[in-house]
């Protein structure tokens, strides 16, 4: 920070825009239909591309007969892999090169939905008709859908050259084979964190325009992505171009949730087609294409062992994760390391042993999905903590309290290498329990049990810590002669509200009106660099860059004003939209006047560059760790298995809140996604690898009617890891909510002997869990009985995955992978 840094982090001035719930400047255009999504970007004469996709999960591609399609009306071209020189995507970091995905299938398809050919025609309808006429000769191979089955010695192998389906091992997060040796009691379980689809409102798509002008990019690619600069890098690399030859832009992006982080082979194909054909080419997915072609999320099988003293002090955790990465290695490679990193949660667990393998299966590739590896960590830990509480007859809130990292222990380094900045999980729990009315809820629950009511009450707690913010981000701020400020940012939002929040930061720092600030982003020609929007990083990294650039601009403007007004620089203050001397009302200049003067080199002080512009890159030295506690209340119909979320209280810390309304919106959306995975969503394949949930008629997306109004209680423990004092919030709601809802449903049925139910907790699964629960009398833990004496094997009973669990040896690792 410079000598003239404004008081951003000190006492808020009355009426300041930072920290206020300013309405989203994005919404007028979105709500009135003026905003353009990708398919609305006008481009006269553009051709339409439609992909021919494999209907089979695993097969050799013997041949593709495209003659009939080529002869159909309006068809301009039909292409298979060989026509494009057999191009492949760059291999994903940490994964063997053999897994690199071809743009179009080469000799073999590995999931239903994989593109095999592409048809280009004058209209979309013509291209769709011709795509149906492409005759591909497939020789079916046995599929493998289940990641554990994919590791069996006789499993069908997806990549012969690799020789096994085990793509990546993760052994370097935390190695402590004896983590449980001091434990007096150990709970063991196998959890399935099921595969889900991101379902953004706007599916994937691209529009590529080939440029013929010397000095201009040779292709402009409009794409619905979260990281345009990375898309530029990938497209340039695959097509053998200099990145400067590729311009990537986004229109309004209708949601991403992680599924739009990757650059897809389809994006590169569209860019290739535009260059090859010398014509603009567009592509946009149908919803059912999106359901099979966009990366899915989660997909973990988790073997968990949690050891403790008999009074509930956690001593050791052992985790073995089998990550299903689908047919090709993509962002899923990053998920198990993140699960490992966050496996300690908000607890002091002295010893942790974490290992994982990533496995290919004949299914849609898996990637990042809201939380990306961190909700998976919270889920496994929070389920295990509840099981431990049940085992020892300790209240779930109390057992958490006994193990929390105390406020004074922060910053805190976990055995998995996370360096928590600030936190106070005990305080978050107190607030959440009070807001939920925990004592009364437990009384109501006991009353319903004793009355033998059909609808039982369940209360689920989840305490979490998550990690946000990494890398660096670019920003610039420039004033024009009308006093308008333009911000360029390397972040690339999909609905998060950056235009609003970034304008608040600039307005506040410079003392100008919020409406005077315009934020521009998501165009690689306009913005020199950027890492995009994901991982709840944008505010703390991109927002901090905007702040730093604003401070630098203020400095420059102040120097210029002092020079022009012939006063000392230290006398120049920010005055409502002007800079000047507060004691002398006539002695001030507007931002427009300053920008005009800055354009004229003769008005500038010695050594000052022309133009009222400043830029900054902000780099995070270490991440921030938001935390929180969620309490979910459910009612479960014990006759039908129907579980309803009736109340949800969320206490989420994200440090300083730049715009509390945006934060609330993020938490609401996050809770909905977490609760939906717990109760409804699951991407399902049959045993042949046919997707069974590839439309919104079969994939159970919740509507507002399926969820209650949420209660959110703000909590702010600032961080010193960025100048805004902010942590991320885009995923915390999801991380906290899902495990709370799952714990709540199981809690409602604990007195019937139910120990665990995997997600989604559909009525059928819940009903089966009740039916299969041991009939040896109710769990009496809240009356002080407990069931510790029964030992960990109790978790086999009522756990529908008990068979698979028995395959795990006492070291927690399935024998075949050791
Ligand atoms: N914010 C704030 N104060 C804070 C933290 C954040 O005011 N202390 C505001 C920010 O200004 C920003 C919003 O909250 O407007 C989210 O900020 P941040 O936590 O930095 O997250 P990102 O902007 O990087 O968004 C990414 C995150 C992720 S990883 C997923 S997935 C997700 C999410 O955002 N996908 C979304 N929220 C989404 N919201 C919409 N509408 N659509 C998606 O696809």
């Amino acid at each position: 920070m410079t000598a003239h840094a404004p008081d951003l982090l000190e006492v808020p001035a009355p009426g300041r825009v930072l920290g206020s719930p300013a309405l989203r400047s994005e919404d007028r255009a979105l709500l009135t239909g003026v905003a353009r999504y990708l398919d609305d970007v006008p481009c006269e004469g553009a051709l339409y591309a439609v992909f021919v996709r494999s209907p089979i999960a695993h097969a050799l591609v013997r041949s593709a007969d495209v003659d009939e399609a080529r002869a159909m009306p309006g068809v301009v071209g039909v292409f298979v892999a060989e026509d494009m020189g057999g191009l492949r995507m760059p291999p994903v970091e940490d994964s063997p090169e053999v897994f690199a995905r071809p743009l179009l299938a080469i000799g073999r398809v590995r999931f239903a939905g994989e593109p095999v050919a592409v048809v280009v025609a004058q209209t979309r309808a013509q291209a769709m008709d011709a795509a149906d006429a492409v005759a591909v000769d497939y020789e079916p191979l046995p599929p493998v859908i289940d990641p554990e089955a994919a590791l069996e010695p006789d499993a069908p192998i997806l990549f012969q050259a690799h020789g096994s389906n085990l793509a990546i091992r993760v052994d370097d997060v935390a190695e402590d084979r004896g983590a449980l040796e001091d434990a007096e009691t150990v709970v063991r379980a196998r959890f399935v964190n099921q595969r889900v689809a991101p379902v953004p409102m706007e599916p994937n798509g691209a529009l590529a325009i080939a440029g013929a002008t010397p000095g201009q990019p040779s292709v402009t690619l409009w794409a619905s992505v979260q990281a345009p600069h990375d898309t530029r890098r990938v497209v340039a690399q695959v097509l053998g171009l200099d990145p400067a030859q590729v311009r990537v832009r986004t229109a309004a992006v209708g949601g991403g949730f992680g599924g739009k982080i990757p650059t897809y082979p389809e994006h590169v194909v569209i860019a290739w087609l535009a260059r090859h054909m010398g014509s603009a080419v567009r592509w946009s997915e149908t919803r059912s294409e999106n359901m099979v072609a966009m990366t899915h999320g989660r997909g973990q099988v988790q073997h968990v062992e949690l050891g403790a003293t008999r009074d509930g002090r956690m001593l050791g955790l052992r985790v073995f994760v089998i990550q299903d990465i689908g047919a090709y290695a993509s962002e899923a490679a990053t998920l198990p390391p993140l699960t490992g990193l966050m496996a300690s949660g908000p607890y002091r667990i002295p010893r942790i042993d974490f290992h994982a393998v990533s496995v290919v299966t004949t299914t849609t590739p898996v990637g990042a999905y809201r939380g990306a590896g961190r909700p998976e960590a919270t889920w496994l830990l929070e389920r295990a903590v509840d099981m431990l509480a049940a085992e020892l007859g300790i209240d779930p809130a109390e057992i958490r309290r006994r193990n929390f990292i105390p406020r004074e222990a922060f910053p805190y380094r976990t055995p998995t290498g996370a360096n928590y900045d600030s936190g106070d999980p005990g305080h978050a729990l107190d607030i959440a329990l009070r807001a939920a009315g925990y004592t009364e809820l437990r009384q109501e629950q006991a009353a319903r049990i004793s009355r033998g009511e059909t609808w039982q009450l369940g209360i689920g707690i989840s305490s979490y810590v998550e990690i946000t913010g990494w890398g660096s981000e670019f920003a610039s701020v420039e004033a024009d002669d009308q006093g308008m400020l333009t911000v360029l940012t390397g972040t690339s939002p999909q609905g998060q509200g950056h235009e609003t929040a970034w304008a608040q930061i600039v307005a506040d720092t410079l003392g100008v009106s919020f409406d005077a600030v315009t934020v521009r982003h998501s165009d690689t020609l306009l913005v020199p660099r950027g890492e995009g929007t994901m991982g709840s990083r944008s505010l703390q990294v991109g927002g901090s860059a905007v702040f730093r650039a604003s401070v630098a601009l203020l400095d420059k403007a102040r120097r210029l004003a002092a020079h022009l007004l012939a006063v000392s620089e230290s006398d120049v203050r920010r005055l409502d939209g002007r800079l000047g001397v507060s004691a002398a009302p006539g002695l001030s200049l507007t931002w427009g006047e300053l920008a005009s003067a800055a354009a004229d080199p003769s008005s500038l002080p010695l050594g000052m560059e022309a133009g009222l512009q400043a830029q900054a890159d902000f780099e995070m030295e270490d991440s921030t760790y938001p935390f929180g506690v969620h309490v979910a209340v459910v009612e479960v119909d014990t006759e039908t298995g129907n579980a309803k979320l009736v109340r949800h209280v969320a206490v989420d810390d994200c440090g300083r809140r730049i715009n509390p309304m945006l934060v609330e919106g993020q938490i609401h959306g996050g809770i909905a996604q977490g609760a939906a995975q717990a109760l409804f969503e699951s991407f399902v394949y049959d045993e042949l690898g046919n997707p069974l949930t590839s439309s919104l008629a079969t994939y159970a997306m919740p509507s507002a009617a399926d969820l209650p109004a949420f209660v959110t209680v703000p909590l702010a423990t600032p961080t010193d890891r960025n100048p805004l004092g902010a942590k991320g919030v885009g995923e915390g709601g999801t991380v906290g909510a899902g495990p709370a809802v799952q714990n709540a449903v199981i809690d409602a049925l604990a007195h019937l002997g139910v120990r665990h139910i995997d997600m989604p907790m559909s009525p059928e699964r819940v009903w089966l869990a009740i039916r299969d629960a041991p009939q040896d009398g109710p769990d009496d833990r809240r009356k002080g009985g407990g069931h510790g004496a029964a030992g960990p094997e109790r978790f086999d009973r009522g756990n529908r995955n008990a068979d698979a669990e028995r395959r795990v040896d006492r070291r927690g690792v399935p024998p075949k992978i050791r």
Side-chain angles (χ1 to χ4, degrees):
M1 233 182 265
T2 64
H4 296 299
D7 57 352
L8 185 69
L9 300 180
E10 284 94 55
V11 192
R16 67 188 295 177
V17 63
L18 197 95
S20 79
L23 290 181
R24 288 166 39 110
S25 44
E26 294 89 345
D27 284 349
R28 177 177 290 277
L30 291 168
L31 294 174
T32 55
V34 172
R36 288 187 316 194
Y37 290 93
L38 178 66
D39 224 21
D40 307 319
V41 174
C43 184
E44 217 172 303
L47 299 170
Y48 290 84
V50 166
F51 287 88
V52 177
R53 295 181 183 276
S54 171
I56 304 180
H58 197 196
L60 295 177
V61 180
R62 288 288 176 217
S63 63
D65 183 350
V66 300
D67 291 348
E68 186 186 337
R70 272 201 182 122
M72 286 177 68
V75 173
V76 186
V78 183
F79 303 87
V80 293
E82 297 85 79
D83 301 318
M84 303 176 60
L87 292 175
R88 288 179 186 270
M89 300 294 281
V92 174
E93 207 181 328
D94 291 337
S95 82
E97 204 167 331
V98 68
F99 293 100
R101 188 173 162 186
L103 298 194
L104 297 172
I106 301 176
R108 187 189 278 249
V109 287
R110 296 182 175 87
F111 69 97
E114 180 164 3
V116 178
V118 62
V119 175
V120 186
Q122 269 149 9
T123 69
R124 184 172 289 151
Q126 289 168 333
M128 287 177 100
D129 285 347
D132 281 346
V134 173
V136 183
D137 182 9
Y138 296 103
E139 184 182 320
L141 295 168
V144 56
I145 312 308
D146 178 319
E148 287 184 308
L151 291 169
E152 298 290 350
D154 56 349
I157 302 289
L158 271 75
F159 296 85
Q160 303 300 314
H162 186 66
S164 105
N165 294 322
L166 200 167
I168 304 161
R169 270 177 185 281
V170 179
D171 290 321
D172 56 357
V173 174
E175 168 102 48
D176 185 351
R177 292 286 178 187
L180 300 174
E181 63 196 11
D182 300 328
E184 293 166 1
T185 186
V186 178
V187 289
R188 297 186 167 84
R190 172 187 180 271
F191 305 133
V192 176
N193 203 297
Q194 82 276 23
R195 183 185 265 269
V196 292
V199 201
M201 181 180 71
E202 181 196 31
N204 208 345
L207 164 65
I209 303 158
T213 322
Q216 292 292 310
S218 84
V219 62
T220 296
L221 182 73
W222 290 81
S224 190
V225 291
Q226 295 178 220
H229 289 82
D230 197 56
T231 298
R232 177 178 70 167
R233 174 187 67 81
V234 173
V235 171
Q237 186 176 339
V238 180
L239 299 186
L241 298 171
D242 186 291
Q245 292 287 85
V246 180
R247 177 184 189 183
V248 176
R249 307 180 69 175
T250 78
V253 175
F257 308 111
K260 292 181 181 172
I261 296 173
T263 302
Y264 286 83
E266 288 92 331
H267 293 139
V268 186
V269 169
I270 299 304
W272 183 90
L273 287 170
R275 295 186 77 233
H276 180 75
M277 308 184 85
S279 165
V281 180
R282 3 167 128 256
W283 158 68
S284 57
E285 277 179 345
T286 63
R287 175 59 63 190
S288 24
E289 256 185 311
N290 174 262
M291 296 297 283
V292 296
M294 182 166 275
T295 50
H296 291 162
R298 315 282 188 244
Q300 286 190 358
V301 178
Q302 307 167 327
H303 295 276
V304 183
E305 298 173 278
L306 179 60
T309 58
R310 265 185 251 295
D311 64 354
R313 243 178 345 105
M314 294 180 214
L315 295 177
L317 173 70
R318 297 202 62 210
V319 179
F320 180 71
V321 166
I322 300 159
Q323 172 73 54
D324 178 0
I325 59 174
Y328 296 93
S330 75
E331 269 62 27
T334 62
L335 304 182
L338 280 170
T339 304
L341 184 68
M342 299 317 296
S344 190
Y347 308 113
R348 273 181 304 194
I349 309 179
R351 301 181 67 174
I352 297 184
D353 186 48
F354 181 91
H355 298 271
V357 287
S358 290
V359 180
V360 284
T361 57
T362 53
T363 58
T364 293
V366 172
Y369 170 68
R370 206 165 193 168
R374 294 104 82 200
E376 291 87 324
T378 303
W379 250 301
L380 75 84
L381 190 57
E382 291 303 282
R383 278 301 304 128
V385 169
D386 258 27
M387 285 182 161
L388 185 66
E391 173 76 16
L392 298 172
I394 301 173
D395 180 274
E398 176 56 25
I399 201 162
R400 287 174 169 81
R401 210 173 264 126
R402 284 183 198 174
N403 288 282
F404 279 147
I405 303 162
R407 180 196 181 102
E408 57 282 4
F410 289 86
Y412 179 89
R413 195 172 280 279
T414 71
T416 58
N419 182 19
Y420 295 170
D421 49 348
S422 58
D424 191 352
H427 183 48
L429 181 69
D430 290 344
I431 301 174
L433 295 183
R434 212 175 313 127
Y438 189 66
T439 311
E440 296 73 27
L441 285 168
R442 285 288 178 214
Q443 286 163 356
E444 165 70 11
Q445 182 182 48
R448 288 198 197 187
I449 292 171
S450 67
R451 290 196 297 264
E453 287 191 15
T454 304
W455 283 88
Q456 288 293 332
L457 197 70
I459 306 135
I461 301 173
S462 155
S463 335
Y464 74 90
V465 182
E466 84 124 336
I467 175 170
T468 62
W470 46 264
S472 66
E473 208 48 84
F474 166 86
S476 72
V477 185
E478 181 167 18
D480 71 14
D481 58 8
Q482 300 302 304
M484 304 301 279
L485 283 299
T486 301
V487 180
L488 300 183
T489 174
T491 66
S492 190
Q494 315 104 51
Q496 289 86 352
H498 295 179
E499 291 171 27
T500 304
W502 285 203
Q504 285 180 269
I505 294 170
V506 174
D508 202 84
T509 312
L510 301 183
V512 300
S513 110
F514 174 70
D515 298 326
V517 187
T518 304
V519 179
R520 303 189 67 188
H521 53 82
S522 309
D523 180 347
T524 61
L525 198 64
L526 195 66
V527 183
R529 52 195 170 272
E531 296 187 33
T533 287
M534 63 197 79
S536 306
R537 67 184 293 275
S538 302
L539 190 258
Q540 53 195 306
V541 196
S544 293
V546 169
F547 172 60
R548 286 270 164 89
S550 307
V551 171
L553 183 67
L554 181 62
D555 250 16
K556 185 171 185 180
R558 196 176 245 154
R559 228 182 112 207
L560 178 61
H563 175 73
L564 296 171
L565 298 170
V567 296
S568 154
E569 212 177 309
S570 57
D571 288 338
V572 177
R573 294 269 180 277
R574 288 175 299 164
L575 314 166
D576 209 11
R578 314 167 74 88
L579 290 185
V581 181
S582 43
L587 223 48
S588 69
L589 293 163
T590 65
W591 278 90
E593 287 162 344
L594 286 164
S596 300
D600 172 7
S602 65
S603 313
L604 299 173
L606 206 61
M608 185 179 276
E609 272 182 29
L612 203 47
Q613 190 262 8
Q615 64 183 57
D617 286 272
F618 178 74
E619 177 158 16
M620 294 288 288
E621 277 168 24
D622 202 345
S623 297
T624 59
Y625 292 84
F627 68 97
V629 172
H630 285 215
V631 178
V633 184
V634 299
E635 287 187 311
V636 183
D637 182 339
T638 51
E639 287 177 357
T640 65
N642 188 20
K644 278 200 282 192
L645 180 61
V646 294
R647 187 136 203 257
H648 195 97
V649 174
V651 176
D652 296 284
D653 158 71
C654 60
R656 172 185 267 252
R657 296 176 173 217
I658 298 304
N659 181 325
M661 192 205 57
L662 292 175
V663 168
E664 285 274 299
Q666 287 295 314
I667 294 171
H668 279 229
I671 296 173
Q673 271 174 288
Q677 182 176 352
L679 293 175
F680 312 116
E681 292 186 40
S682 180
F683 199 92
V684 183
Y685 291 92
D686 70 12
E687 68 281 5
L688 295 175
N690 297 308
L692 299 180
T693 48
S694 56
S695 82
L696 293 184
T698 47
Y699 186 83
M701 279 281 288
S703 73
D706 297 310
L707 299 163
F710 306 133
V711 178
T712 59
V713 188
L715 176 66
T717 40
T719 177
D720 58 7
R721 294 187 182 170
N722 62 69
L724 298 175
K727 308 177 187 178
V729 77
E731 295 154 294
T734 305
V735 180
V741 174
Q742 188 182 18
N743 279 345
V745 175
I746 295 159
D747 180 73
L749 306 173
H751 67 290
L752 301 175
V754 172
R755 291 288 154 270
H756 179 70
I757 308 172
D758 269 329
M759 303 180 291
M761 293 179 291
S762 60
E764 185 192 7
R765 279 197 173 171
V766 172
W767 186 84
L768 285 172
I770 297 169
R771 189 198 65 180
D772 297 342
Q775 299 299 310
D776 57 354
D779 166 10
D780 216 7
R781 71 171 195 259
R782 273 179 297 283
K783 294 179 201 152
H787 50 270
E793 67 278 7
R794 295 220 23 161
F795 295 105
D796 287 350
R797 295 191 269 157
N799 180 347
R800 46 185 302 285
N801 295 305
D803 278 354
E805 185 183 335
R806 273 191 284 275
R807 294 210 301 268
V808 180
D809 75 354
R810 64 186 177 74
R811 291 163 57 193
V813 180
K816 58 187 175 265
I817 314 168
R818 265 192 271 120

